[in-house]
Amino acid sequence: MAFKPLHDRVLVRRIESDAKTAGGLIIPDSAKEKPAEGEIVSVGEGARKDSGELIPMAVKAGDKVLFGKWSGTEVKIDGEELLIMKESDILGIM
């Protein structure tokens, strides 16, 4: 993939959740919510302070993360649906 996010943005691939509940019920596609869990595909170099000093990113490619339900912008790169979001939209690393 030839895409690199800029500044403090990250490229995330959603991780699909199970199609069954804990009780064994199958969830139809129409009732599924988009998962708020993903894997970092690539990261930018980080944000800059007013002084120009680079603030390093806290996440790296391969990290599994949780993010807000409405976070990011959906994009299609090489036929795959991915999300671009700011590092601040990430709630935590799993």
Side-chain angles (χ1 to χ4, degrees):
M1 181 175 305
F3 182 84
K4 176 147 176 78
L6 297 176
H7 310 294
D8 64 338
R9 290 184 175 79
V10 296
L11 187 64
V12 178
R13 176 183 299 120
R14 288 187 195 265
I15 297 174
E16 294 300 322
S17 58
D18 293 335
K20 288 185 180 182
T21 64
L25 297 174
I26 296 174
I27 303 170
D29 288 338
S30 60
K32 284 185 187 176
E33 290 186 13
K34 291 187 175 181
E37 185 179 327
E39 180 181 357
I40 304 287
V41 176
S42 63
V43 298
E45 61 185 25
R48 296 218 178 251
K49 295 181 182 179
D50 290 337
S51 63
E53 183 183 345
L54 185 67
I55 302 169
M57 298 288 277
V59 295
K60 62 186 180 309
D63 284 349
K64 289 192 178 9
V65 295
L66 290 176
F67 49 87
K69 188 173 187 175
W70 305 109
S71 299
T73 302
E74 293 183 356
V75 294
K76 196 172 238 186
I77 300 174
D78 295 336
E80 183 177 13
E81 288 190 19
L82 301 168
L83 287 169
I84 297 174
M85 65 181 69
K86 286 190 163 250
E87 183 184 31
S88 60
D89 290 339
I90 296 173
L91 303 175
I93 302 171
M94 296 177 38

